[in-house]
Amino acid sequence: MKAALWDRLRQRKLFQWALAYAAGAWVIFEASDAVGGRWELPNVLFQGLSVVLIAGFFVTLVLAWYHGEKGRQRVSGPELLMLTALFIIAGVALSAVGPSPDPTGGASTPSASTSDDDRPSIAVMPFSSTSTDAESRMFADGVHDDLLTQLSKVKSLRVISRTSVERFRETELGVPEIANVLGVDAVMEGSVQRVGGQIRVNAQLIDGVTDGHLWAETYDRVFTVEQLLDLQAEIARNVSIALRTTLSPEDEAEIRLAGTDNPEAYAAYLEGLALLARGSTPYIGDVSDAAYGAVEAFQEAVRLDPEFALAHARLSRAHRAVAFTGADQSDERFDLIRQSAQTALDLDPDLPEAMIAMGSYHYRLGRGGDFDLALQFMQAAHERQPNRFFSSVASVQRRRGEWEQAAEYQSRASDQNPLSFNSARESALNYLRMREYERSERYLDRSDAIRPTPITNARRALLFLMRDGDVDSAIKVLYAIGDGDQGLWPSIAAWAGANLPRRIAARVFCSREICAEATNGPRPQTWVGYRSRADLFGLLGDREREMAYNDSAAVLLERDLVEHPWDSLSILSALCLSYAGLDRADLVRQKGEELQRLEPHKKDALWGTDYLRNLAEAYVPIGDHDSAIDQLEIVLSVPSVMSANLLEVDPVWDPLRDHPRFQALLEKYGSEP
């Protein structure tokens, strides 16, 4: 029976017909994909074609069976196989000339993660300038940055952030490839020309799938603030129509708010935006020079129009950029941050940028501060413009211990800015401290695919230690840091985000030739450098130089405790480590009690647990094991960079191994994920 059925199938050549049809259908799919975009065919036609081809497969098999039953088929089996081969060759050729399967063109840029935000989405590519001079290019960059801000005010639209679109400033990728990487429905391209008092803006919106034009327009305007805002509102309206979404009257009113009618002040403001973008984008120029340039541009804007609230708010942000690059972190610089933010708020209490500026001042870039007040300002700005300020809100929420909310907001920031390695890295840190290792690793992979950095390596090493207790894998990742920058270890303790067990990290560097370079290099200028050097000499068994560097670190720390009280948590925890290295048990206990009274894990949920971990480490060499375990109990009970697996493998805790309370900690938290 089976043999008879097989013979009938062969007689009717069903297998050959099936292969030939499948190959032919593939050719049709490739052909439609290669040329359909040029014809601007709607997606519904491609969907209909898919249905017809699938149905045709079964029709072909039925006809082949029926005609084989009625009489001998005139098409031979070899002919069908030859036809199949020709179809396959044609399909490969069409595939080669069609869209590239690699959306990055071989770069290390990942595809955008899937977002649960189903709003129409757009990426606005950096605008080109029809003139080659630097001033014209700067003006085009400012118009682009301003338009991104204005479009992000449309609540029904998802707009990709500037950091991600900057990656495509000089790309050779086509629109479908860019749209695929960024996960958007449409891409806008444009150019800007300014001649005297006239401006011309060309803009076109392109479908991210078909590469067809959805809308295009050329705008010729007299350069006034009102004309430029009208132009931006019209672009937003046309984008909304093309993407079948809504520009509400409230959204349009927000877009038309400029805060000045002085075109020269607005031109200086646009220049400041362009420089500020460069001052926070690692792909372009010297960030500190750009940040200083932004300060000068915004100062010129507010000189020309002292009532220009938005420029005052951006001036505050530019001062923050100078501080953030490390160029100037003086008290005077932070006073300028506050003064500009306060002026902006006085001029326009409802301006979201002014709220963010003041919230950022209270956050104070890690100088301590009032996190409750900072969050009030930042949430108010976010509520006013719900498409913006996700990262700002998240940064304060985690300092307050609101980990779930912070992780959600930071994840949304990553979706909005899919090619920002820093945004992905911060999400990875959030989930690492929450001990959600799978999510943390996913964001570390994303950050590495965008731009590998030593900090990402350090956090991945910490992931291996916390999740698996895998020292070998952690060391392998850390070796890569040393290979990339052999002088890096003296500053590794300064990485607030790395938080590596110092003895494990130092062991890596001391096991290589770079240890000599690290220990014999220039004398450290900060207590962080002295503390790192002390750890290295301790591992090398050079007790004399270990104590000398701990003593130097203690001198600087005691001075900073008086001069920088806002950083008392960090300073006290480091002082305890230095005193422990000097065998000053009395001072370890004194400063340890002072630190505990401040309850650092409640005052600063992000870094406070690190300070308690340092305190626990300081108690170990002076023999106060119960006090060390007291701190470890707190650190393990809340989100932190500590786990039972890490306790098991970190040699600093070896003296506690036989303590019943330490064993109880391992048993209690060893069963948790």
Side-chain angles (χ1 to χ4, degrees):
M1 179 68 179
K2 292 182 178 179
L5 178 60
W6 178 255
D7 290 339
R8 295 170 72 186
L9 289 174
R10 286 193 303 169
Q11 180 184 7
R12 290 161 177 77
K13 306 180 186 69
L14 253 63
F15 295 115
Q16 292 95 325
W17 277 110
L19 284 173
Y21 186 91
W26 179 42
V27 171
I28 294 173
F29 270 120
E30 290 295 338
S32 64
D33 188 48
V35 302
R38 296 185 181 180
W39 296 342
E40 301 183 23
L41 297 178
N43 288 336
V44 67
L45 291 183
F46 290 97
Q47 295 167 354
L49 179 62
S50 301
V51 172
V52 170
L53 290 175
I54 292 171
F57 177 76
F58 296 102
V59 172
T60 299
L61 293 184
V62 170
L63 291 175
W65 180 274
Y66 176 77
H67 287 288
E69 186 73 28
K70 294 297 183 181
R72 180 176 177 82
Q73 294 183 9
R74 295 183 180 181
V75 181
S76 67
E79 288 174 329
L80 285 171
L81 292 177
M82 186 179 297
L83 188 61
T84 300
L86 291 173
F87 280 147
I88 291 174
I89 292 171
V92 170
L94 285 169
S95 179
V97 301
S100 170
D102 179 4
T104 68
S108 60
T109 303
S111 293
S113 61
T114 302
S115 173
D116 58 3
D117 190 338
D118 59 357
R119 292 175 300 170
S121 52
I122 181 175
V124 182
M125 295 298 102
F127 281 8
S128 62
S129 172
T130 55
S131 301
T132 58
D133 61 284
E135 184 178 348
S136 296
R137 292 197 301 270
M138 192 80 70
F139 183 78
D141 287 346
V143 171
H144 171 254
D145 195 278
D146 199 32
L147 180 60
L148 273 177
T149 299
Q150 305 296 17
L151 286 174
S152 68
K153 296 175 182 178
V154 182
K155 299 180 182 66
S156 59
L157 196 64
R158 182 168 67 91
V159 182
I160 297 299
S161 297
R162 176 191 48 77
T163 306
S164 289
V165 299
E166 279 288 351
R167 295 290 294 268
F168 302 98
R169 178 175 284 271
E170 296 181 359
T171 185
E172 295 182 359
L173 296 179
V175 166
E177 291 89 347
I178 295 172
N180 180 53
V181 171
L182 296 176
V184 295
D185 301 313
V187 172
M188 181 186 290
E189 297 175 338
S191 64
V192 178
Q193 180 181 16
R194 181 187 180 192
V195 179
Q198 299 287 323
I199 59 170
R200 167 173 287 186
V201 176
N202 290 303
Q204 57 181 348
L205 189 66
I206 304 169
D207 189 286
V209 175
T210 68
D211 203 18
H213 283 76
L214 298 173
W215 157 80
E217 189 67 70
T218 298
Y219 301 91
D220 289 303
R221 297 285 193 273
V222 175
F223 179 51
T224 67
V225 177
E226 183 180 4
Q227 287 281 312
L228 188 55
L229 294 178
D230 283 344
L231 183 154
Q232 292 176 336
E234 188 171 342
I235 289 176
R237 192 180 309 113
N238 287 328
V239 167
S240 298
I241 293 171
L243 296 181
R244 299 178 182 177
T245 187
T246 303
L247 177 67
S248 70
E250 294 80 10
D251 294 339
E252 185 164 348
E254 286 282 346
I255 291 174
R256 292 182 181 278
L257 292 175
T260 184
D261 56 6
N262 185 323
E264 295 308 313
Y266 203 72
Y269 168 78
L270 292 177
E271 179 183 353
L273 287 184
L275 287 166
L276 193 58
R278 297 183 183 193
S280 58
T281 302
Y283 314 108
I284 306 175
D286 186 305
V287 293
S288 60
D289 287 348
Y292 277 118
V295 168
E296 293 178 4
F298 290 126
Q299 284 176 334
E300 176 66 7
V302 299
R303 185 191 69 79
L304 292 168
D305 184 354
E307 305 296 309
F308 194 175
L310 187 56
H312 283 286
R314 296 295 190 183
L315 177 57
S316 177
R317 181 179 170 185
H319 284 307
R320 284 192 289 119
V322 170
F324 185 75
T325 62
D328 179 5
Q329 295 186 339
S330 64
D331 290 339
E332 290 77 10
R333 182 64 61 178
F334 281 92
D335 284 341
L336 291 171
I337 295 172
R338 179 190 57 79
Q339 291 169 12
S340 296
Q342 188 61 59
T343 301
L345 274 177
D346 291 342
L347 291 169
D348 188 350
D350 295 325
L351 183 66
E353 285 82 358
M355 299 173 189
I356 287 293
M358 186 56 77
S360 296
Y361 168 74
H362 287 294
Y363 185 75
R364 297 204 71 180
L365 296 174
R367 281 189 162 210
D370 189 335
F371 299 137
D372 293 341
L373 191 54
L375 187 61
Q376 288 179 27
F377 280 109
M378 290 178 175
Q379 280 186 326
H382 177 64
E383 289 169 4
R384 177 83 183 228
Q385 293 181 4
N387 277 1
R388 305 176 67 195
F389 313 122
F390 291 110
S391 289
S392 297
V393 174
S395 65
V396 187
Q397 286 174 326
R398 65 182 184 179
R399 303 296 284 265
R400 287 164 41 92
E402 299 169 0
W403 288 98
E404 293 290 345
Q405 299 95 315
E408 171 63 23
Y409 270 79
Q410 191 60 53
S411 294
R412 294 181 69 181
S414 294
D415 290 337
Q416 194 177 59
N417 203 356
L419 298 188
S420 166
F421 71 92
N422 187 63
S423 184
R425 202 170 60 195
E426 290 307 300
S427 287
L429 177 62
N430 289 347
Y431 286 120
L432 185 63
R433 287 182 174 271
M434 295 167 69
R435 304 183 183 92
E436 294 188 24
Y437 301 122
E438 183 178 344
R439 287 185 174 184
S440 180
E441 188 167 31
R442 187 161 64 244
Y443 278 105
L444 285 174
D445 290 344
R446 184 168 168 178
S447 178
D448 259 342
I450 298 167
R451 185 187 181 198
T453 66
I455 293 179
T456 308
N457 283 48
R459 288 181 180 169
R460 191 179 296 278
L462 187 56
L463 171 70
F464 289 138
L465 294 169
M466 289 180 62
R467 182 186 63 190
D468 311 312
D470 187 347
V471 178
D472 290 340
S473 293
I475 287 176
K476 183 177 180 180
V477 172
L478 290 173
Y479 274 162
I481 300 177
D483 290 339
D485 185 352
Q486 294 190 344
L488 191 56
W489 168 245
S491 64
I492 196 173
W495 293 350
N499 284 294
L500 289 166
R502 280 181 297 280
R503 299 193 187 283
I504 291 177
R507 194 178 90 196
V508 174
F509 291 92
C510 280
S511 67
R512 320 269 317 251
E513 296 143 356
I514 62 172
C515 187
E517 180 179 340
T519 55
N520 296 323
R523 189 172 181 82
Q525 301 298 312
T526 65
W527 63 260
V528 171
Y530 283 114
R531 280 286 312 124
S532 300
R533 202 69 67 86
D535 280 337
L536 284 170
F537 283 119
L539 286 167
L540 292 170
D542 189 337
R543 179 62 176 154
E544 181 179 350
R545 286 204 280 182
E546 177 191 8
M547 293 189 71
Y549 278 107
N550 269 319
D551 186 64
S552 296
V555 170
L556 294 181
L557 285 162
E558 288 163 353
R559 181 203 66 190
D560 285 356
L561 189 60
V562 175
E563 295 181 359
H564 307 306
W566 44 263
D567 198 21
S568 59
L569 298 179
S570 172
I571 294 171
L572 285 170
S573 74
L575 258 178
C576 289
L577 287 170
S578 289
Y579 288 146
L582 295 169
D583 296 328
R584 294 298 307 272
D586 55 332
L587 290 176
V588 172
R589 293 189 179 94
Q590 177 188 331
K591 295 302 180 184
E593 290 173 2
E594 189 175 339
L595 179 61
Q596 289 179 68
R597 285 195 296 271
L598 294 174
E599 297 186 304
H601 61 296
K602 295 181 180 179
K603 189 173 182 179
D604 183 352
L606 180 61
W607 305 121
T609 51
D610 296 358
Y611 305 143
L612 292 182
R613 180 202 60 201
N614 289 345
L615 179 57
E617 186 175 332
Y619 280 132
V620 172
I622 67 171
D624 196 344
H625 295 173
D626 278 306
S627 293
I629 295 172
D630 287 342
Q631 309 315 309
L632 291 177
E633 285 179 335
I634 296 173
V635 172
L636 285 167
S637 68
V638 295
S640 68
V641 287
M642 179 61 73
S643 71
N645 286 328
L646 181 50
L647 282 178
E648 287 271 22
V649 299
D650 190 347
V652 75
W653 312 114
D654 285 349
L656 307 181
R657 300 291 174 202
D658 296 329
H659 197 296
R661 289 180 61 202
F662 187 82
Q663 289 296 322
L665 279 181
L666 295 180
E667 182 177 351
K668 178 178 180 180
Y669 292 102
S671 60
E672 295 186 359

